[in-house]
Amino acid sequence: MITRLNRTGVLLTCMLLIGATASTAGTKSSGILHPTHLTCEYLVDPLGIDIAAPRLSWILESSQRKQRQSACQILVSSTMENLHADNGDWWDSKKLDGDRSINVRYSGKELAAGTAYVWKVRVWDQDGRVSSWSSPAKWSMGLLHDTDWSAKWIGLDRLVGSDDTASNFTRLSARMLRKEFSVSKNVRRATAYVCGLGMFELYINGRKISNDVFVPACTEYNKRALYLTFDVTGNVRHGGNALGVILGNGRYFAMRRGDMTNYGFPKLLLQLVIEYTDGTMERIVSDESWKLTTDGPIRANNEYDGEEYDARKEIPGWDIPGFDDRAWMNAEIVKRPSERLEAQMSNPMMVMDSVKPVSIKKIHPGSFIFDLGQNMVGWARVNLHGKRGDTLTMRFAERLNNDGTLYLDNLRSARVTDTYILKGDGQESWQPRFTYHGFRYIEVTGYPGTPPLSAITGEVVYDAIATTGSFATSNATINKIWKNAYWGIRGNYRSMPTDCPQRDERMGWLGDRATGSKGESFIFDNNALYAKWLTDINDAQL
């Protein structure tokens, strides 16, 4: 076991020992093999893929040892009714001899853009006994060609108000966009295809769509941009509807002037496809008819420096129909940002865990240090009650100085400061959208009164990949190394494997992970993440 211990997250391991306990859950009583955990391109029920012949995989389970698959049969259908009737109207592989259960290439009829498919598999064991069919799985195709897109890239390619690109510490407020539309017929299916650079949140009729954060994944943006697909059938309603999108800066708008590539100002491409029960279809697309404002509550957002949020500038109702947007400007048609537009074929980031503080200490009048008991990666969710205009600041660090204040030297130029200005209308709760930190300690200044421990919760953020392995021994030190590795590895999954999550770096350096990835694969189902990263490497080569 080779382990490198350093700062938060740079705990890169080659822990081949971990594989000893990685296993699949559940057994079948029949004594023969049974296929389960079906995936398409390493993903569970993915939406909007753009691979013409996707690869299908499954895991074999059995109540007996020394079992082996000798053959399989895959059915792919256009409807669940056909699948239940064992009608593979899109592909019936028939009986395929062999033990292959990973990355079996689809070989049926040509798959159509925007179409959903369901599939199942059964297998034969080494004695020729056939299993029951697996539970159904599904995938849908994305928009496969440029001609499938009717949407236009929109945004605002200029500075407004307090936006700043002149100083080294760039500032740019979040851009908010909206569009209303009406539905007069019964909806069979509604699908949204969205690319918002650098990062986006999608809202329909006042509700955020999905739990994703920090989407889309980072790329070499001038080479490749990624879109995500959302099933929004349950969100589109009869009558008036409203689409809303918030655009954050991410890695698209440079966090530092001169030190990083600035690909441009945030921009949006969105296509909502509504299929009606009468067989007709309608597209709601991003174009110059959308409205845009930069005067929302997110005054600045930067992954190194933090997020500034002024709750007094919240815009109630901006994402529901009937809102008066006459004061907003028209969105502008902007230049296409990338050579290629592709579906994101890796898991999005999400809030995956939470950490409660273990102690709080007053260090100065009005300033308190929260200790979360361990290093983590993500952000702090704060609950408070105060007057309109009260300002709360939170700074983040991994260590303390001897006098109990934050140790910040190792963060270099990263300001790691989140600011929240209260609106003053009762209990308020806030967490940032477009920044993250690596930290154990939080310095909280400006909290109205003395904060309780419950005022802060650490939200752990990383790519939403499954933990597939665990490790335990009778040795407490080895167990601690395992725990540190687990937290350090997942804390550096930021749509690519990064080197650290706390200072002004956080990059996908190649050397460390070329070794560390071998051990990581015994802990996490990170196939899709590393496949995406290999594309990043290829795009970034000179």
Side-chain angles (χ1 to χ4, degrees):
M1 177 172 63
I2 303 170
T3 303
R4 174 185 170 197
L5 291 172
N6 200 325
R7 55 193 182 269
T8 304
V10 184
L11 194 160
L12 305 174
T13 68
C14 182
M15 298 184 67
L16 300 182
L17 291 172
I18 296 165
T21 58
S23 64
T24 60
T27 58
K28 296 293 176 181
S29 60
S30 64
I32 62 173
L33 296 177
H34 184 76
T36 184
H37 296 84
L38 277 60
T39 59
C40 174
E41 288 295 326
Y42 300 117
L43 302 173
V44 177
D45 295 341
L47 298 178
I49 72 171
D50 57 5
I51 295 173
R55 298 167 296 175
L56 308 177
S57 304
W58 54 91
I59 290 176
L60 297 169
E61 294 183 348
S62 177
S63 61
Q64 298 179 5
R65 293 183 179 275
K66 298 183 180 179
Q67 297 297 302
R68 178 177 59 83
Q69 174 187 308
S70 63
C72 69
Q73 182 182 8
I74 301 169
L75 296 182
V76 178
S77 302
S78 57
T79 67
M80 193 63 73
E81 291 75 18
N82 283 346
L83 192 69
H84 288 325
D86 297 341
N87 176 14
D89 60 323
W90 228 254
W91 184 38
D92 182 348
S93 72
K94 308 300 182 182
K95 186 178 180 180
L96 298 174
D97 291 332
D99 61 358
R100 186 164 189 174
S101 59
I102 298 175
N103 289 343
V104 178
R105 182 76 66 177
Y106 170 84
S107 300
K109 294 190 291 187
E110 182 178 354
L111 300 170
T115 305
Y117 301 92
V118 289
W119 69 286
K120 63 183 179 180
V121 61
R122 64 178 177 175
V123 300
W124 285 257
D125 69 7
Q126 70 268 31
D127 297 319
R129 296 175 296 186
V130 64
S131 73
S132 57
W133 287 103
S134 69
S135 297
K138 61 185 178 181
W139 83 82
S140 69
M141 301 303 292
L143 304 182
L144 306 181
H145 309 287
D146 283 350
T147 53
D148 295 326
W149 288 91
S150 304
K152 302 175 183 178
W153 284 99
I154 60 173
L156 187 69
D157 280 349
R158 62 178 184 271
L159 298 174
V160 179
S162 61
D163 295 345
D164 177 23
T165 57
S167 73
N168 185 49
F169 296 91
T170 60
R171 288 177 54 88
L172 195 69
S173 56
R175 279 95 198 279
M176 302 171 68
L177 300 101
R178 70 182 311 273
K179 169 71 175 181
E180 293 194 22
F181 63 98
S182 183
V183 169
S184 59
K185 296 187 286 188
N186 294 327
V187 176
R188 184 179 73 85
R189 187 166 74 119
T191 308
Y193 305 92
V194 188
C195 178
L197 302 177
M199 299 185 284
F200 73 87
E201 289 187 348
L202 171 65
Y203 295 79
I204 298 180
N205 297 329
R207 295 186 59 185
K208 182 177 182 288
I209 303 301
S210 87
N211 296 321
D212 304 346
V213 300
F214 278 36
V215 290
C218 296
T219 57
E220 187 78 6
Y221 294 109
N222 60 333
K223 299 284 186 66
R224 194 181 310 267
L226 304 178
Y227 69 89
L228 283 86
T229 302
F230 305 95
D231 183 346
V232 296
T233 307
N235 303 96
V236 174
R237 62 196 185 199
H238 197 273
N241 292 265
L243 286 163
V245 176
I246 305 176
L247 293 179
N249 303 326
R251 304 288 179 98
Y252 188 76
F253 181 79
M255 294 179 282
R256 290 289 182 271
R257 184 178 66 85
D259 294 340
M260 306 179 71
T261 301
N262 186 6
Y263 296 95
F265 291 94
K267 46 188 54 69
L268 172 68
L269 185 75
L270 184 149
Q271 184 156 303
L272 172 62
V273 179
I274 305 174
E275 302 169 43
Y276 297 108
T277 56
D278 65 2
T280 60
M281 183 179 68
E282 183 178 7
R283 292 186 178 95
I284 311 299
V285 301
S286 52
D287 58 21
E288 58 268 44
S289 69
W290 284 55
K291 303 302 287 285
L292 179 150
T293 185
T294 64
D295 196 27
I298 303 176
R299 307 312 306 148
N301 62 101
N302 183 302
E303 291 186 33
Y304 288 169
D305 299 329
E307 186 165 306
E308 299 176 23
Y309 189 95
D310 188 344
R312 299 171 301 180
K313 297 182 74 64
E314 290 179 346
I315 308 174
W318 73 278
D319 54 355
I320 62 175
F323 175 77
D324 184 358
D325 59 12
R326 287 176 295 178
W328 291 31
M329 65 185 79
N330 287 326
E332 299 177 0
I333 304 300
V334 296
K335 184 179 178 181
R336 174 178 175 145
S338 306
E339 296 174 7
R340 299 172 64 92
L341 177 65
E342 297 180 352
Q344 178 167 322
M345 296 300 298
S346 58
N347 293 291
M349 298 183 71
M350 292 185 182
V351 175
M352 300 292 288
D353 203 348
S354 62
V355 178
K356 300 291 187 181
V358 297
S359 68
I360 181 174
K361 182 179 180 181
K362 183 176 180 179
I363 55 169
H364 299 298
S367 293
F368 302 84
I369 297 288
F370 283 79
D371 179 3
L372 277 74
Q374 68 166 77
N375 275 350
M376 59 157 283
V377 179
W379 53 66
R381 185 179 75 246
V382 60
N383 298 293
L384 70 169
H385 183 287
K387 301 189 302 297
R388 183 177 179 84
D390 285 350
T391 300
L392 176 91
T393 60
M394 295 182 288
R395 294 196 301 169
F396 302 81
E398 301 166 297
R399 292 176 51 194
L400 298 178
N401 294 310
N402 292 335
D403 63 359
T405 59
L406 294 185
Y407 175 75
L408 300 170
D409 290 353
N410 66 315
L411 305 184
R412 302 189 300 209
S413 72
R415 291 175 169 174
V416 296
T417 302
D418 291 342
T419 303
Y420 179 76
I421 302 176
L422 282 75
K423 55 190 170 186
D425 63 353
Q427 190 69 26
E428 301 181 42
S429 180
W430 176 77
Q431 60 188 8
R433 288 179 170 91
F434 302 127
T435 192
Y436 75 105
H437 312 283
F439 62 98
R440 171 177 172 175
Y441 302 97
I442 310 170
E443 176 196 82
V444 176
T445 302
Y447 190 95
T450 300
L453 272 180
S454 60
I456 293 288
T457 301
E459 302 284 14
V460 180
V461 177
Y462 61 98
D463 291 67
I465 57 180
T467 298
T468 52
S470 59
F471 180 73
T473 76
S474 59
N475 185 293
T477 300
I478 294 177
N479 292 343
K480 184 66 174 179
I481 292 172
W482 147 255
K483 180 187 176 185
N484 290 347
Y486 172 75
W487 279 86
I489 293 166
R490 68 176 183 165
N492 272 293
Y493 286 155
R494 192 263 176 265
S495 79
M496 59 182 172
T498 61
D499 69 310
C500 62
Q502 81 293 67
R503 68 184 188 185
D504 57 350
E505 191 170 0
R506 314 183 195 188
M507 297 299 178
W509 303 127
L510 307 188
D512 294 344
R513 300 317 267 264
T515 297
S517 61
K518 301 185 176 101
E520 293 168 35
S521 63
F522 288 105
I523 312 173
F524 298 104
D525 183 13
N526 58 11
N527 297 284
L529 172 71
Y530 271 96
K532 180 262 179 190
W533 191 49
L534 288 174
T535 300
D536 295 337
I537 294 170
N538 185 67
D539 284 349
Q541 287 177 329
L542 300 178

